[in-house]
Amino acid sequence: KAGVTQTPRYLIKTRGQQVTLSCSPISGHRSVSWYQQTPGQGLQFLFEYFSETQRNKGNFPGRFSGRQFSNSRSEMNVSTLELGDSALYLCASSLDGGETQYFGPGTRLLVL
Amino acid sequence: TQLLEQSPQFLSIQEGENLTVYCNSSSVFSSLQWYRQEPGEGPVLLVTVVTGGEVKKLKRLTFQFGDARKDSSLHITAAQPGDTGLYLCAGGALGANSKLTFGKGITLSVRP
C-alpha cells in the first residue's frame, strides 16, 4: 500500500501571496488531518477532514483553510502569507478518524 | 488545553548506552502514540498504547503508558546511531476523534 503523499515537497513564496498544498491519504483512509510544525511551537493541529466535512479545527486564523474531495484527497490553503507561516506542513491520514495516524513527508514552505 | 511535556529536550549519548525519556501531562488521554521523525521527513509511528499500565516492546525500544494514562516513557536499550532522531509523543483526546496533542519532542543523537 502506498503511503501518504504530499505535493509539493518544497515551496518558496513571498509575503501576501497565497499557497495551496495537496495531500493524498493511504488508500481506504477517509480522515485527513493537517499539522504545522515549527522549531519553536512543535507540531500544532490545524484541522481534520472526514468524508469531505471539517470535523475538528485547531486555533489558527481564518487565513488557513482546507477541503477534502470525494476520493479523500485533501488540500489546504493559506492566504495572505506571513513570514511566520514558514514551516513544515504535515498531513496525516487514518482509517476512520481514529487516533493512530500515518504522516506524509510534509511540504516545507518558506515565506520571504 | 491539554499539554504534553517531553523531557529531556535534547540528549546526546554514546552508542551502546541505555536511555529513558519521558512524556508527561496533567490530562488523561485515551491513547498515546510515540513517533520518530528524521530531518526533512514526516513522523513515523512507532507504537500506540491505550491501556493504563500497558507495556509494549519494539525490538530494543520499550514503551510504557502510565497507570493513570497521563504519562508515558520510552526506554532504549543499547542505543545505535540509527536511533538518532526527534521522538514525539502524542495524546489522543477523550471524545475528540483524530485531534492529537503533540509534545515538542526529544532530539536524540547517538554517537558512534
Side-chain angles (χ1 to χ4, degrees):
Chain A
K1 241 187 201 180
V4 179
T5 59
Q6 292 187 246
T7 56
R9 290 294 309 274
Y10 304 94
L11 208 47
I12 300 176
K13 293 286 188 179
T14 56
R15 277 181 300 173
Q17 287 187 310
Q18 74 164 12
V19 67
T20 300
L21 312 181
S22 181
C23 171
S24 292
I26 292 171
S27 178
H29 285 195
R30 293 192 294 161
S31 170
V32 173
S33 297
W34 288 89
Y35 295 84
Q36 180 194 68
Q37 186 177 31
T38 59
Q41 298 298 319
L43 261 156
Q44 293 185 290
F45 175 77
L46 281 156
F47 31 65
E48 182 230 354
Y49 285 86
F50 182 80
S51 293
E52 302 180 65
T53 301
Q54 186 181 87
R55 188 161 63 172
N56 279 307
K57 190 176 187 305
N59 296 323
F60 278 81
R63 299 185 298 108
F64 292 82
S65 63
R67 60 177 174 167
Q68 187 179 33
F69 302 94
S70 58
N71 62 358
S72 293
R73 190 178 70 83
S74 178
E75 289 181 346
M76 70 162 279
N77 185 76
V78 188
S79 61
T80 321
L81 284 165
E82 300 177 0
L83 296 178
D85 296 334
S86 294
L88 180 67
Y89 289 88
L90 293 159
C91 96
S93 76
S94 66
L95 194 60
D96 55 4
E99 290 150 352
T100 299
Q101 299 180 25
Y102 299 89
F103 282 84
T107 294
R108 174 77 61 185
L109 171 66
L110 177 61
V111 182
L112 301 174
Chain B
T1 303
Q2 296 179 303
L3 293 175
L4 277 167
E5 294 193 8
Q6 294 189 248
S7 61
Q9 193 175 356
F10 300 97
L11 192 54
S12 180
I13 61 171
Q14 201 71 35
E15 181 177 1
E17 292 183 11
N18 301 332
L19 66 119
T20 302
V21 295
Y22 302 92
C23 174
N24 295 306
S25 176
S26 57
S27 303
V28 176
F29 291 98
S30 59
S31 69
L32 204 134
Q33 290 85 43
W34 283 91
Y35 294 82
R36 181 170 64 220
Q37 184 177 20
E38 297 186 15
E41 298 298 327
V44 175
L45 179 67
L46 296 174
V47 76
T48 298
V49 286
V50 297
T51 306
E54 182 177 2
V55 176
K56 279 192 174 179
K57 292 193 175 185
L58 183 67
K59 298 182 181 177
R60 294 175 293 100
L61 280 60
T62 302
F63 305 85
Q64 183 160 10
F65 201 11
D67 290 341
R69 293 187 292 149
K70 292 182 179 181
D71 52 78
S72 179
S73 64
L74 159 59
H75 180 81
I76 301 179
T77 303
Q80 298 177 2
D83 296 326
T84 293
L86 177 68
Y87 287 80
L88 295 158
C89 68
L94 293 171
N97 287 334
S98 288
K99 190 175 186 301
L100 290 178
T101 298
F102 279 83
K104 291 194 176 181
I106 295 162
T107 300
L108 172 64
S109 174
V110 182
R111 304 185 303 275

